[in-house]
Amino acid sequence: MNFAVQFLYSKGLSKRDPDQDSKQDDDSDPFWNSVGKNTIKRKDSSTTSKVQGPRNGPVTCEQNGPRPLTIHPERLKDFVEEEYLNGDLTTWEMKVVEPPEEQLKESAEPVAPKTRKPSVRPKNEFLRFEDISAAAFKTQNGVQKTPCMYSRISKQYGVDIYLKKEFLQYTGSVKERGVLYLLTSLNQDQQRKGVIVASDSNFAMAAAFHASELQIPVFVIMSAGTSPSRVRMCRDYGAMVILFGPTARDAQSHARQLAQENGYLYVEEEDSAGYLAGLGTVGLEIYEQVPNLDAVIFPAGGQCGLLAGSATALKHLNPKISVIGVECEKFPVVQQSLKTGHCLTEHDYVTHPLYGELGGPSFGANTLKLAKKHVDQVISVREEDVLLAMLRLLEYERATADAEGAMGLAAIIADAIPDLKGKRVAVVVCSGNLPLPLLRHCLDRALVLDHRVCKFSVVLTDFPGEISKLLETIGREEARVLDMQKENIFLNTDLFTLEVTCLVETRDKPHTTQLRNALTEKYSTLKWIEQGRQ
């Protein structure tokens, strides 16, 4: 059947006019033929058929029959033909013949060859809302969609507080969002080689966990003074932890050297669009979870990337939502940078045992631009308010937040934003990683600041029953003695006297005032040690 069709087709070609053939062959040249010409007409000696050309893909041979030659044989004089038999199909391989040297000399000027540059998409340095949406879609199965719930703390301060509990992430930090999006954006070759991190912060733990989940080799370089619990957690997450040098700067230089020698990718907190987009997904979730929001409070300082990324998302969705950043008044990194117009700590870290790493590459030019554009205000709070916020979160929400996580609630406790009274406010509790000894120390100091643990001393006569009378007075006021010490040697009083120092627990500030008044009436030598909030 195929032989008969080819015979009829060749016979029809022999009867056609050569001028008409060359004209039609020019039209059938794929170089000149446009995609819009979808019909090819062929004339036979007895019939005329109309064949549809390809529109959405190749068309089978049963519909079209044998395809005509794309180039007329007369135009093949500049080509060399080689015929190969591949099964039932005959294919043609055409090689371009080099022109003779005389033809090259006839050209007036040599034409320089055109070099085509690879089409690489330029790096997006400024964060867009589309980047945040892409990050939310790509990381939806890798991180927790944490709840944003109404808090019982609202009744104390007259603000409808909704806590975004990012400390419920697997590593206890919001930085998982940015780290996961960074790691998933790496090419396969870089994922095969591995990544290296030089930090003991929440960023290092997030990188250790998600790199291990993605089966990416991960190395974490820490200084020798890192907390043993932090080292153990990174190793449990699957990272190879190396302790090097006495300071964090030594660990960073060693990590860069290892990355250069072994081909690892050195990963650190940065203000790139990818990392900020991952952190900005928090703003998308808050907008979805809490309708009719008036304001959202984020921690600044060490979490300035979270502030800038989420502010970009919130302002795009609803420009009327007020975005507020909070940082400690001892380290007003963001406030000073916004005033001066440049990042003060872009190339240097400010490390604090309580607040972690402040500034560094995570607070660069892009973050500063986003903060200027989308953040309404940045305020500072005292360290005492941060400690009280940690105590309130533990008591009312059973949340062991660290200083960064409690920074937003500290602004409400300090009444630093009076305009928020009676409004719906979301507060981001970004992290909850704190070593147990430091957590205990913070809570003990917070109880003192809240006037629930007090300390006083009183001078008594060194006779039997005097201390018992003092304890009876304290018990009558329904206070609880936590500790008691007595001193009768290093005193400037009479020989037969002693000084008794008591550490007492009370219910609240009015109860403390009641106990103090009762002791003042009975003991004129009472010395009250003031440590609470003014």
Side-chain angles (χ1 to χ4, degrees):
M1 181 66 182
N2 293 333
F3 176 79
V5 173
Q6 293 179 4
F7 176 77
L8 293 176
Y9 177 71
S10 60
K11 186 177 181 181
L13 288 177
S14 61
K15 295 181 179 180
R16 295 168 60 178
D17 187 13
D19 297 334
Q20 184 180 359
D21 289 342
S22 60
K23 181 179 180 180
Q24 184 172 353
D25 291 333
D26 290 340
D27 295 337
S28 63
D29 195 334
F31 181 81
W32 304 102
N33 190 16
S34 62
V35 181
K37 297 180 180 180
N38 295 325
T39 60
I40 303 174
K41 295 185 179 180
R42 300 179 187 167
K43 290 186 178 181
D44 201 320
S45 59
S46 58
T47 59
T48 301
S49 62
K50 185 177 181 181
V51 183
Q52 296 292 333
R55 182 184 298 268
N56 296 326
V59 184
T60 58
C61 294
E62 286 77 9
Q63 296 176 353
N64 288 343
R67 298 180 60 184
L69 295 175
T70 56
I71 301 178
H72 194 269
E74 295 181 357
R75 299 180 59 190
L76 294 177
K77 58 185 179 180
D78 295 332
F79 294 86
V80 175
E81 305 173 42
E82 292 184 9
E83 182 177 358
Y84 293 92
L85 186 61
N86 184 9
D88 296 334
L89 301 178
T90 301
T91 61
W92 294 80
E93 180 179 345
M94 291 167 289
K95 298 181 181 179
V96 179
V97 178
E98 297 181 358
E101 295 182 359
E102 288 94 8
Q103 296 180 5
L104 293 177
K105 294 180 181 179
E106 293 178 359
S107 58
E109 294 181 358
V111 180
K114 296 182 180 180
T115 58
R116 179 176 295 180
K117 296 182 180 180
S119 58
V120 180
R121 181 181 176 183
K123 182 179 178 181
N124 180 28
E125 296 183 354
F126 201 71
L127 181 65
R128 304 172 304 172
F129 180 78
E130 291 78 6
D131 301 325
I132 303 176
S133 301
F137 178 78
K138 198 169 185 179
T139 61
Q140 59 182 341
N141 296 326
V143 295
Q144 297 289 334
K145 185 177 181 180
T146 56
C148 189
M149 303 171 59
Y150 180 80
S151 176
R152 293 186 295 126
I153 307 177
S154 306
K155 300 179 181 179
Q156 295 188 15
Y157 302 102
V159 181
D160 292 338
I161 301 174
Y162 293 84
L163 296 179
K164 180 61 173 174
K165 301 181 179 181
E166 282 298 308
F167 63 91
L168 295 179
Q169 298 290 349
Y170 189 83
T171 61
S173 172
V174 69
K175 294 184 179 181
E176 284 192 25
R177 297 175 178 268
V179 169
L180 179 59
Y181 191 53
L182 275 182
L183 294 177
T184 53
S185 301
L186 300 178
N187 55 51
Q188 293 182 358
D189 182 63
Q190 194 59 65
Q191 290 183 358
R192 179 181 55 83
K193 292 180 179 179
V195 297
I196 189 168
V197 184
S199 175
D200 60 350
S201 62
N202 294 329
F203 181 85
M205 292 194 295
F209 170 69
H210 283 289
S212 300
E213 289 293 310
L214 296 173
Q215 297 182 354
I216 300 175
V218 55
F219 303 87
V220 178
I221 313 300
M222 296 182 176
S223 61
T226 305
S227 171
S229 60
R230 193 62 64 95
V231 175
R232 184 179 64 253
M233 281 190 291
C234 285
R235 285 175 176 165
D236 292 341
Y237 291 147
M240 173 66 71
V241 181
I242 301 174
L243 301 179
F244 182 88
T247 62
R249 193 177 297 274
D250 297 331
Q252 292 171 7
S253 61
H254 184 61
R256 293 180 185 273
Q257 181 181 357
L258 292 177
Q260 185 177 3
E261 294 176 354
N262 300 277
Y264 306 138
L265 177 65
Y266 182 78
V267 180
E268 62 180 348
E269 282 194 82
E270 56 186 8
D271 66 339
S272 63
Y275 184 68
L276 297 179
L279 296 177
T281 57
V282 177
L284 293 180
E285 292 184 4
I286 292 176
Y287 183 82
E288 177 186 353
Q289 292 170 329
V290 184
N292 302 323
L293 267 177
D294 295 309
V296 183
I297 303 178
F298 294 93
Q303 298 288 346
C304 48
L306 171 64
L307 171 65
S310 299
T312 303
L314 289 170
K315 288 296 185 179
H316 179 86
L317 295 171
N318 186 359
K320 295 182 180 180
I321 297 178
S322 178
V323 179
I324 304 170
V326 184
E327 59 184 351
C328 182
E329 65 179 5
K330 291 184 177 180
F331 305 100
V333 177
V334 180
Q335 284 183 320
Q336 294 179 0
S337 299
L338 290 175
K339 289 180 181 179
T340 58
H342 65 277
C343 304
L344 301 178
T345 59
E346 183 176 2
H347 305 290
D348 191 14
Y349 284 94
V350 178
T351 305
H352 191 270
L354 183 61
Y355 304 108
E357 295 178 352
L358 304 173
S362 62
F363 187 40
N366 294 334
T367 306
L368 185 62
K369 291 178 183 178
L370 292 172
K372 280 184 176 181
K373 184 177 181 180
H374 300 297
V375 178
D376 295 287
Q377 59 177 324
V378 179
I379 62 175
S380 59
V381 293
R382 300 183 304 168
E383 184 176 282
E384 291 81 0
D385 299 319
V386 176
L387 297 177
L388 285 172
M390 294 171 61
L391 180 62
R392 295 288 185 270
L393 289 171
L394 181 61
E395 285 186 319
Y396 288 89
E397 298 294 334
R398 303 297 184 265
T400 55
D402 54 17
E404 291 179 339
M407 197 71 67
L409 184 61
I412 297 179
I413 291 178
D415 199 15
I417 318 173
D419 297 338
L420 298 182
K421 294 291 184 180
K423 295 184 178 180
R424 296 167 66 90
V425 180
V427 178
V428 180
V429 186
C430 62
S431 56
N433 290 321
L434 204 62
L436 290 179
L438 182 57
L439 176 62
R440 181 176 59 186
H441 181 58
C442 293
L443 295 178
D444 289 341
R445 178 64 65 86
L447 289 172
V448 175
L449 295 172
D450 204 25
H451 300 280
R452 293 161 59 180
V453 173
C454 53
K455 186 177 183 180
F456 62 87
S457 64
V458 61
V459 178
L460 305 176
T461 56
D462 193 5
F463 293 110
E466 291 297 323
I467 297 180
S468 299
K469 293 179 182 178
L470 174 62
L471 294 177
E472 289 178 1
T473 304
I474 297 174
R476 195 179 302 115
E477 298 299 329
E478 298 180 352
R480 178 170 173 254
V481 179
L482 300 177
D483 189 20
M484 177 180 288
Q485 297 177 355
K486 64 177 182 177
E487 177 65 48
N488 57 356
I489 299 178
F490 296 94
L491 294 176
N492 296 325
T493 57
D494 296 338
L495 180 61
F496 297 101
T497 57
L498 75 160
E499 184 180 33
V500 179
T501 304
C502 297
L503 188 67
V504 182
E505 181 182 10
T506 58
R507 292 187 297 269
D508 47 24
K509 186 175 181 178
H511 189 202
T512 301
T513 304
Q514 179 182 345
L515 174 64
R516 183 176 182 177
N517 294 335
L519 293 174
T520 303
E521 292 179 0
K522 191 170 184 178
Y523 300 99
S524 59
T525 58
L526 177 70
K527 294 181 180 180
W528 201 268
I529 302 175
E530 295 286 351
Q531 289 284 340
R533 250 189 332 168
Q534 300 299 327

